[in-house]
Structures are given as structure tokens and as C-alpha cells.
Amino acid sequence: MNPASESVGTASANVPDATGRYGAFGGRYVPETLTRALDQLAVEYAKAKADPAFQAELDQLLQDFVGRPSPFYHAKRLSEKCGGAQIWLKREDVNHTGAHKINNTLGQALLTLRMGKQRVIAETGAGQHGVATATACAHFGIPCVVYMGEEDIRRQAPNVFSMKLLGAEVRPVTTGSRTLRDAINEAMRDWMSSVDTTHYILGSVVGPHPFPQIVRDFQSVIGSEARVQSLARFGRLPDSVVACVGGGSNAAGMFYPFIEDKEVELVGVEAGGRSDGAGDHASPLTFGSPGVLHGSYSYVMQDDDGQTCDVHSISAGLDYPGVGPEHSYWKDTGRVRYTDCKDNAALDAFDALASCEGILPALESSHAIAAGMKVAAEKSSDQIVVICLSGRGDKDAAEIARLKEERK
Amino acid sequence: MSSIDQVFADLRAQNRKAFIPFVTAGDPSLDVTSAALKELSKRGGSVCELGIPYSDPIADGPVIQASYTRALQRKIKLSQILEMAGKTTPEMSAPLVTMVSYAIIHRHGTEQYIQDAKAAGIAGAIVPDLLVEESGDFAKICQANDFSLIQLVTPTTSRERAMRIAETSTGFIYYVSVAGITGERTQLPPDLLDNVSWLRSQTKVPICIGFGISQPEHVRTLKKVADGVIVGSAIVRRMGEIGEKSEEQVIDEIGDYAETLIEALNE
Ligand SMILES: Cc1ncc(COP(=O)(O)O)c(C=O)c1O
């Protein structure tokens, strides 16, 4: 095992190693029953990655079905409001199904077919990953079951409805905090009994190896496009790149292609919730400690016995006590700066983007907007801040109305 | 020779099989857990398993998960569990092992966990989320402390892998009967006996079968190939009836239940 200290200051794109380690983080902490499926997935993914036909099929889908490349948009009025750097948005919100999650689910659905599996399961918090999985499964004709915490079902009703319309079965999870973390537990349990016929399309860069790598690679299309778009527009790379971090998939996809570009500042934004007190936020990189959760070694919110703490965020997609292992590695190596954004600041950022630009961001993405505005405000007008707008806010409209009523 | 090795050596000499009951620590209380462990040991349990409640168990079915949730809602802490174990093990003839997530061991510190468990008279650990690839360092510390590390083999484990697991497992090998989570089942998979017999021919380490076992009929079938059986959910479910029934009554019933299975094992 490579202790974290060895990797500090040397973040590179050359992770994970063969055992799925990002420095000290990552690996596989799962029941033995799942190892065969994980090995199969790793082997099949390596083959797919080397197969030009696989990449071509995925690229075609991303173009024709998802609408990629997604726009790179100059948020002029928002930039003026901040009075600093020029803010540019990487518009994952205009993707089919309204978020970055579709990039990953189409890739994994293709892997499902390659592995000859006949059924898909998934977990979802905000519902975006559930909708994206249901969509990919409908596209390919694969039966699909989505696990979702009861609390999230309440918060994200429009997405629950969409999943059902797309033919997925939504299974409410009533254990624990009834949120994303419990939905992952339930999905893993289902997978334990169905590994031979079922692929688990995990929705973020979390879980046992090879999931964090697969999801990062599929999401890297975001950062790769943003890089090309920056070079085309400005003839140079941006000064800062900002993205929100739940499990960390949109951020990993946005950051990864810039990792070796040391001149680009990378900022990950966690859910700061109501306060810095335990249970009031969902910021494991800011307040957590290294531990084991959901099959990998990473920063988690845990008590002194290793029990996972309850977390809170107004945004269902960020309401998660763990984070992808590669983010832990980036944190310890200092390559990415992690910060957090409070519930109220995210709501204000939502309003700012809506009123200045005519875009309703997802509550998750509103966290990135808030932090991105801060970053921009400290820079000069010839500098460039790119924010990943990971998804659109339609799904959150009713919840935002309720939260605003509460704030009055 | 560790205390668990001794148990299996004695059982083999008598041509008998091990009965390994599982109880959740702290459900409904640590006092009841202690009483249940003593009772199960007294009634002929060969090794007892103590489940350390964990907030995010993945290998466990609804019955054991719910018992973990109940215990954690009572704010049960590892230090209290070990303290209870320390008071209970001197009164048990059966060695006690913990079933514990690596999340908890890691947080406590691997070395410290083994020191503290040993001080409480605990003889070994089953760590369901620590795969053979990840267990090297922990296995070394276990070995140095004569602390058994009981590894799991499942129906999805390849034969080559099963051999590797068998080589590193001490005390016994935990053969998981089904690809799935814990919980009582009526039927056992048809190829289970063949798979265990094959493993039996490859290693001298005792093999005990768990997951899904609850009936004397299961036990009669499995004893042909296994050195013992592990019964969890069927006991935990009965413990969950405390409240409707008195503690004494339920502990007595669990003892009776254990005895029927032990009889079936050794008839
Ligand atoms: C729009 C949006 N952004 C971000 C997230 C957070 O996930 P991740 O950190 O994996 O990108 C979610 C999760 O559901 C989401 O729906």
C-alpha cells in the first residue's frame, strides 16, 4: 500500500494502479461475492477502452442522443455582477435528461451489453442518475430497477415520475437516512444476489475499483471538451475550473483532463449545508477523515467508531457522506482545492444565475456557481473561470419554492 | 494452537461438527447479548459469533441490518461491546469471534483492534468486507497475535481464488452458501455440496457453512461435507421478539433452538 504521504505533491493522471489505488485511496472493500463481477467489469472495461468500435459507438450516441459537445457559454451578465474574471459555463444542463449523468450511463449501458448481462440496477439521490440510467436502459431495451431513498423521492418527485415513464421500477429505500447513501447500500445488496445477470450502473466516482475509474473516464468528456473549447476561444487554458462535489463525478470529469496543466487552478465545492457542525453538512473532504465506505477507502464523515455520520444538504445529489477516492488523492496531493458552499449561498447563486442569465441551475450546480462567483470576484477581467453547470434546475423548482417559503 | 483450532481438533477427534451461532451486540441490550452468548455456549455452541453493529452493512439482509440499526439507535459504542465481551468470555467455553466491518477496524486502528479484542478474550475476527487482496497487513498482525482471521469463500469465488483464501484463513473458512445477503432461506443451492467437497479436498482448514441456514434439514444435508454450520438471522430474528416475550423466555427458546440444530448435526 502506498501511504498518502508518498503521493503528496505528485498528483498525476496515472492513477489508479492495477489494484485501483489512488495513492493510499480507493481499492476494494466489498464482500467476496462481488469480486467476480468487479473483476469481470475491470477486464471488460479495459477491452472496451482499447476497442475503437466501442468508443465510436459511444461518441456517436453522445453526439446524436445527448447533444454533445455541450455548449461553452460566456455568462457576461453574471461576470459583470461579480466584477472580476470572465465566467464561462460548461453547459451539461443542456444534455439530454438535463445533467452530466447521461455521459456515464450510456457508457456503462454499453458495457452491460458487452458483458452479456440482462438487467441493470442503479441508485439515485437527486434522481438525475436514475433518470439517466432509465433513459439509457430504455434506449437499449434493458430492464432497470432504481433504488432511491424515501426522503429523496419526496424532494425529487419530477424525476421519480420520469423514471417510471421511462419504464424503470423505482424501489423506495426506507432504511437509515433514506437518502443516497442508503440507496447505494440497497443497490449493493441487490447486486450481491444478482451479480451473474445484473450490472450495477453506479452513478458517481465512488464504490469499489473499477467504478471510480470507469465513471471518471466516461465523465472526462466534459473536461476534454472544455479544454478544447478554451483553447479555441482564448488560445489558452482557463485560470480556474470549478465544479460541485457530491460523489464527485462531474468534478472528476471536469478536472481530470486538466490535471497535468499545473497552471490551471481546480476548485471542488462540497455541500456546506446549514453549518460546520457534524450532521449539518455533507463535506467529507473539508471535515471528514479517511475511512472505508461503500467499497473504497476515501474521506468520509464518520464518528470515532467508524460509523457513518448523517449528513445534510438542501441538494439531494450532494447529500452524501463519502466522496470518490480520486478526490481524496487530489486533496492530499494539493492538486485540487476543496471548499464548501452553504445552503443559503447556493440558493442565492441559483437566483443570480436565473436572473442574470436566464438559466435555472440544479441545486447541486448552484453550489459550484456560488463558489465560482467568489473565485471570479478575486480575479481580474482578463482572467477566465470555467464553472461546470452539471445540471438544470427544473427538478428542483418545487423544492426551491418550499425552501424560499421556509426562509421568509 | 489457537482456541478455535483446539475446538475443531476436539470435534474432529469425536467425529462431531461445529454449531456456530451469531448474535448482534447490543440488540436489545448488551446485558441480553451477554446472557445469550453464555446460554448458547452452555447449550453446546462450538464457537460464538458476535456481530458488531455497523451503519452501512452491505452483506447483511433485512433481519441483521435491522438489528444493527436498533443497536446503533441506542448509541452503542465499540468500547462498551468490548467491555461486555471481556466480562462474558470467562464464562463461556466456546471461543468468541467478532463479525466486524473493516470500516470499524480501520477507524479503531488495526493493531489496537486486535489488542483490545484479545484483551476482551476474543479469539478471532470475520471481516466480510476485507478481501484477500486487501488483507495482507491485517493478516500479519493477526498471525503475530495468534488471532484467527476467518476468511470467506462464496459461490462466485473461482477455485483458484478459493485456494488463495484457504491458504490465508485461520481458525476456519467461512463458506457462504449463496450468492447473496444473509437471511433465512428454505432451499440451499444444488451445487453447494459439490463445491464444499471440492474445497474440503484442497485444505486442512475446517470449513463451516453460513448464510441462509435455519432448519435441522439444512444441517443434516450440510454436515456431510462441512465441519460446521453458522446460524445468524434465525437467532437474531428470535432475539427481536424480546419485548413481546420476556428476555428469559426468548433466551431459553434460542437455547432450545440451538439444541435441535446441534442434535441434527451430531445424530
Ligand atoms: C445536477 C447534478 N450535479 C451534481 C451531482 C453530484 O454528483 P457528482 O458529484 O457525482 O457529480 C448530481 C447528483 O445527483 C446532480 O444531479
Side-chain angles (χ1 to χ4, degrees), chain A residues 36-46 111 115 199 210-211 214:
Chain A
R36 189 165 78 191
L38 293 170
D39 283 343
Q40 181 194 17
L41 181 60
V43 167
E44 212 46 63
Y45 177 62
L111 284 177
M115 291 187 292
H199 177 57
F211 280 112
I214 291 177

Side-chain angles (χ1 to χ4, degrees), chain B residues 136-241:
Chain B
D137 292 346
F138 188 64
K140 267 189 217 129
I141 309 173
C142 289
Q143 203 126 42
N145 286 284
D146 199 18
F147 190 78
S148 298
L149 178 57
I150 296 141
Q151 310 255 38
L152 296 97
V153 174
T154 75
T156 61
T157 308
S158 69
R159 293 197 159 180
E160 184 195 6
R161 212 179 139 79
M163 301 275 282
R164 268 177 72 199
I165 296 171
E167 274 162 31
T168 58
S169 198
T170 51
F172 61 93
I173 295 164
Y174 192 132
Y175 199 99
V176 175
S177 69
V178 290
I181 52 182
T182 59
E184 295 168 68
R185 288 174 176 80
T186 43
Q187 296 234 305
L188 295 169
D191 50 358
L192 176 63
L193 294 188
D194 283 348
N195 289 335
V196 179
S197 307
W198 171 82
L199 187 59
R200 178 66 294 147
S201 68
Q202 302 296 314
T203 175
K204 290 202 162 54
V205 184
I207 302 171
C208 299
I209 304 178
F211 280 42
I213 297 159
S214 60
Q215 300 165 13
E217 209 38 58
H218 298 152
V219 166
R220 284 189 196 105
T221 310
L222 297 177
K223 71 180 186 187
K224 293 178 199 130
V225 292
D227 297 284
V229 296
I230 303 155
V231 175
S233 295
I235 292 172
V236 174
R237 176 171 59 76
R238 285 175 171 80
M239 294 288 280
E241 290 167 6

Side-chain angles (χ1 to χ4, degrees), chain A residues 22 24 57 61 103 128 153 170 207 236 271 275 371-372:
Chain A
Y22 303 79
E57 189 175 359
L61 268 174
N103 305 322
Q128 290 302 111
I153 287 180
V170 180
R236 68 176 181 92
S275 84

Side-chain angles (χ1 to χ4, degrees), chain A residues 99-101 126 128 203-204 244-250 317-318 362 364-365 390-391:
Chain A
H100 67 293
K101 299 283 181 185
Q128 290 302 111
S204 192
C244 70
V245 177
S249 67
N250 85 89
L318 302 184
E364 292 78 7
S365 319
S390 57

